[in-house]
Amino acid sequence: MKLLTTTLLATSICLSAVFPADAGNIVGSVKAWEYMQADGWKSADGMDDNTLHNMLYQANVIDNYPWTKQFLLRTRGGGAIFLADKKTHTIRQLKLNPVGETYNDIETVYQGDDKGEGCYFAVIDNQASVRDKAIDALIYPDWSAPQDTDAVLKAKIAKVRQQIAPKVIMVMPDNCVNKQQQATLAAKRSDEDRKLQQWVAQQSLAELCRRTGNC
């Protein structure tokens, strides 16, 4: 498949936990939209090829595994997100409206272990830009505003963090992790790592031999 340039392992992330930055697992990158077209991919929402070429050039491929029905594409720099449907071979841009009006606040998670609610992809608005702005306003108030004590300021900041917390704004059901396929990927990755380590060791010995003549 020409779409991917690298492959990494799956990691399951529980949505009840604090959302880490870049929770979506990047497993590769798009060479260019024309390569996807050559593999039979089409736009589901009528986006023209020139726009797709500009948006998807070197876009990140997120959480694409053999067992999932879909995966995500994210434009360079943490921008727009596309949902890729493997069955229909179509992609569509997700219509997201982050509160802070910046895609930098958007995170994605693939919940691959069933915690009682099935498995799914989730899109999260962490609201970081809005939260940071509100906290900055407390820490650096207008010169005419009364100064809070440290205790009062800490309490206000804690309240802001509670009120402006990450929110799940979209959920797309998908398959759970296939443990057998995951184990196969892990074994392949371990073998690739072992070969890389051997190559590095060989190159290091060759360079040492060249420099010292101690072969």
Side-chain angles (χ1 to χ4, degrees):
M1 187 177 183
K2 299 175 183 176
L3 173 63
L4 303 183
T5 57
T6 58
T7 303
L8 300 178
L9 296 180
T11 54
S12 297
I13 302 171
C14 181
L15 273 179
S16 62
V18 175
F19 305 126
D22 300 321
N25 193 23
I26 297 174
V27 298
S29 61
V30 176
K31 292 181 179 179
W33 169 238
E34 53 261 37
Y35 285 95
M36 292 188 67
Q37 284 183 297
D39 279 342
W41 289 90
K42 301 179 292 293
S43 171
D45 43 15
M47 192 171 290
D48 66 88
D49 291 338
N50 187 57
T51 299
L52 286 170
H53 172 77
N54 291 332
M55 295 185 74
L56 295 180
Y57 177 68
Q58 294 186 345
N60 289 329
V61 179
I62 300 173
D63 291 316
N64 181 20
Y65 308 112
W67 55 84
T68 55
K69 297 182 294 185
Q70 54 203 351
F71 59 92
L72 301 174
L73 301 172
R74 188 159 194 177
T75 59
R76 301 182 306 280
I81 299 174
F82 290 78
L83 180 69
D85 187 310
K86 295 181 183 180
K87 183 177 180 180
T88 62
H89 251 54
T90 57
I91 65 169
R92 63 180 176 87
Q93 184 177 354
L94 299 182
K95 305 302 181 183
L96 307 173
N97 296 294
V99 174
E101 300 182 349
T102 172
Y103 273 97
N104 289 333
D105 287 350
I106 297 296
E107 301 173 8
T108 65
V109 169
Y110 166 57
Q111 177 59 51
D113 289 332
D114 190 349
K115 304 294 185 180
E117 299 178 349
C119 296
Y120 47 82
F121 284 87
V123 181
I124 302 146
D125 183 355
N126 65 32
Q127 303 193 78
S129 62
V130 178
R131 185 169 55 253
D132 291 346
K133 185 177 181 180
I135 291 174
D136 284 346
L138 293 174
I139 297 175
Y140 309 107
D142 184 82
W143 66 271
S144 60
Q147 296 293 317
D148 291 323
T149 64
D150 287 347
V152 171
L153 180 60
K154 288 180 180 179
K156 287 184 176 180
I157 290 175
K159 186 175 182 179
V160 167
R161 293 188 184 281
Q162 184 179 25
Q163 292 177 334
I164 311 177
K167 293 182 179 179
V168 176
I169 58 176
M170 188 177 294
V171 174
M172 296 153 287
D174 210 301
N175 296 328
C176 296
V177 171
N178 182 306
K179 300 298 183 181
Q180 183 176 354
Q181 290 178 318
Q182 186 182 42
T184 300
L185 283 177
K188 181 180 179 181
R189 180 65 177 178
S190 296
D191 184 58
E192 290 174 350
D193 287 344
R194 179 182 57 79
K195 290 179 180 178
L196 177 60
Q197 290 172 358
Q198 288 178 343
W199 180 84
V200 170
Q202 290 170 355
Q203 295 301 309
S204 298
L205 287 174
E207 179 63 15
L208 182 64
C209 174
R210 185 186 68 80
R211 289 188 177 187
T212 66
N214 184 16
C215 304

